[in-house]
Amino acid sequence: MRLGYSMSYWGGAGLGPADHLALVREAEALGYESVWAAETYGTDPASLMAWIAGQTERIALGTGVLQMSGRKPVVAAMTAATIDQVSGGRARLGVGVSGPQVVEGWHGERFDRPLARARDYLEVVRLALAGAPVSYRGETLTLPLAESEGKELSLAVSPVQERLPVYLAAMGPRTIALAGELADGWLAIHFPPEHLAAMRAQHLKGRDIDVAPMLLTLVEEDQELAYDMMRPMLSLYLGGMGSRRTNFYNRLAASLGFEKEAAQLQEAFLDGRQGEAMAMLPDALIDAMTLCGPAGKLRERVAAYREAGATTLIVGLVTPTRRLRSRQLRLIAQLVRASA
């Protein structure tokens, strides 16, 4: 099982570009196979990966994730191919449909037919990266436009990799199945190993793709402190990463048996009672959706992910300073090796 490092979201904690670059370089030296950067409505992960490409040597460079609503699929293919060129073949293109809060509020598009849009998007990305003339007729996308002056065009720059890996962020059964059908990897955000194993068996059906859970991670011998360190970010996901009607992380928590707790937490968070929402998080839910606690406990949990079929484990850090994050990178690398 490979190890990935998620830079997550920039801002806060007093960490600047030099700090983030130093942490990526340290992850590379520690044997982390990949680094990933998120988007939402903040930093642009493609720009970050291009910047990091020139200052690292081996680590794979992933967008985790680009929002489909923010880039046309041919632009995503151009971006990935360019990063692959400047990095000598280290690009990983991670994409996702996002949610209505961002798609409609930030990008000004309707959040409708997400599964059909994802299918069309992945099909066109594949055509473009393969160097084929892009001609496509889908449910949500037609290239070139019918009855227009448009012509079939091919990507003018080729990726270094013969097949540049494309990952789909997926949480629901049909989207997971789509990842198995059209992608090279599945980004499974906050999935516990038991749920990962069940979804993999039911919806990937033996397809050989990179199963890559992305998890908030903290190695900390004081378990109560570890839980408290997880509360701000996890409560943001469950309470604020979406609307009252549509929050995929909240739905995941409900599917794991925490429907009542997830609903109450979201209500408190969206009413402006964030401190109350954090306090509502049950320890069992934190254990299910994150990796946090003493090293011995996490070694067993990491082994469970390996047993569940995870082939890459992508960790995001919650500690606030560069020094503490550096320590976490070392501790995580050690426990992953020890769990093998």
Side-chain angles (χ1 to χ4, degrees):
M1 187 170 64
R2 297 175 293 272
L3 189 54
Y5 166 48
S6 172
M7 299 165 67
S8 191
Y9 309 105
W10 285 31
L15 295 176
D19 300 304
H20 286 289
L21 179 59
L23 290 167
V24 171
R25 285 173 165 168
E26 183 162 5
E28 182 177 55
L30 288 167
Y32 284 70
E33 187 268 342
S34 57
V35 60
W36 301 78
E39 184 172 53
T40 60
Y41 40 93
T43 50
D44 169 46
S47 300
L48 292 179
M49 292 302 106
W51 173 62
I52 290 169
Q55 302 181 81
T56 54
E57 297 178 359
R58 299 176 304 280
I59 199 164
L61 309 164
T63 58
V65 297
L66 292 182
Q67 297 157 5
M68 293 179 181
S69 57
R71 283 177 174 80
K72 300 292 187 184
V74 291
V75 176
M78 293 162 59
T79 299
T82 302
I83 295 172
D84 210 48
Q85 282 276 344
V86 300
S87 68
R90 292 186 279 143
R92 305 283 186 273
L93 177 62
V95 296
V97 297
S98 191
Q101 186 182 46
V102 171
V103 173
E104 297 183 351
W106 186 243
H107 295 297
E109 295 188 2
R110 288 296 176 193
F111 186 76
D112 60 354
R113 296 179 291 171
L115 190 68
R117 290 183 184 278
R119 174 176 290 280
D120 291 345
Y121 199 98
L122 291 175
E123 295 272 22
V124 171
V125 164
R126 278 279 176 238
L127 283 173
L129 287 174
V134 178
S135 176
Y136 185 78
R137 300 291 182 271
E139 184 178 334
T140 69
L141 184 63
T142 297
L143 291 172
L145 283 175
E147 300 179 0
S148 75
E149 297 181 56
K151 61 177 291 186
E152 295 179 11
L153 298 172
S154 303
L155 187 61
V157 57
S158 298
V160 173
Q161 299 172 88
E162 183 175 350
R163 184 179 175 92
L164 192 154
V166 177
Y167 288 70
L168 180 64
M171 303 185 78
R174 292 185 298 169
T175 315
I176 295 168
L178 183 65
E181 180 186 349
L182 296 179
D184 301 292
W186 166 32
L187 298 173
I189 304 172
H190 303 316
F191 273 51
E194 303 82 6
H195 194 60
L196 186 82
M199 293 296 102
R200 175 173 169 267
Q202 293 173 34
H203 305 294
L204 293 187
K205 301 187 184 301
R207 295 183 184 272
D208 184 20
I209 68 171
D210 187 10
V211 177
M214 305 182 80
L215 300 158
L216 297 172
T217 304
L218 177 65
V219 186
E220 171 55 57
E221 294 305 307
D222 184 336
Q223 181 65 77
E224 290 306 312
L225 175 60
Y227 286 145
D228 287 344
M229 291 287 289
M230 286 294 172
R231 292 182 191 282
M233 185 60 76
L234 190 57
S235 65
L236 172 62
Y237 274 99
L238 300 182
M241 291 285 197
S243 65
R244 276 186 169 86
R245 190 171 63 183
T246 309
N247 180 317
F248 299 114
Y249 307 108
N250 196 281
R251 289 180 188 174
L252 174 61
S255 73
L256 298 176
F258 298 93
E259 183 175 5
K260 179 181 177 181
E261 295 89 342
Q264 291 174 339
L265 184 154
Q266 184 186 49
E267 191 68 25
F269 194 100
L270 294 178
D271 283 347
R273 295 177 282 124
Q274 283 86 1
E276 186 176 332
M278 285 189 281
M280 287 179 178
L281 270 173
D283 295 347
L285 178 53
I286 300 174
D287 274 330
M289 298 184 75
T290 74
L291 283 172
C292 76
K297 169 189 171 182
L298 296 198
R299 279 194 295 271
E300 294 180 3
R301 199 67 169 159
V302 168
Y305 275 103
R306 185 180 285 107
E307 184 68 22
T311 45
T312 297
L313 183 69
I314 303 172
V315 299
L317 306 182
V318 296
T319 43
T321 67
R322 173 172 155 183
R323 180 182 64 82
L324 290 173
R325 292 191 179 195
S326 174
R327 179 174 181 271
Q328 285 296 311
L329 287 173
R330 292 194 302 274
L331 292 172
I332 294 165
Q334 290 167 7
L335 73 85
V336 169
R337 285 194 296 268
S339 70

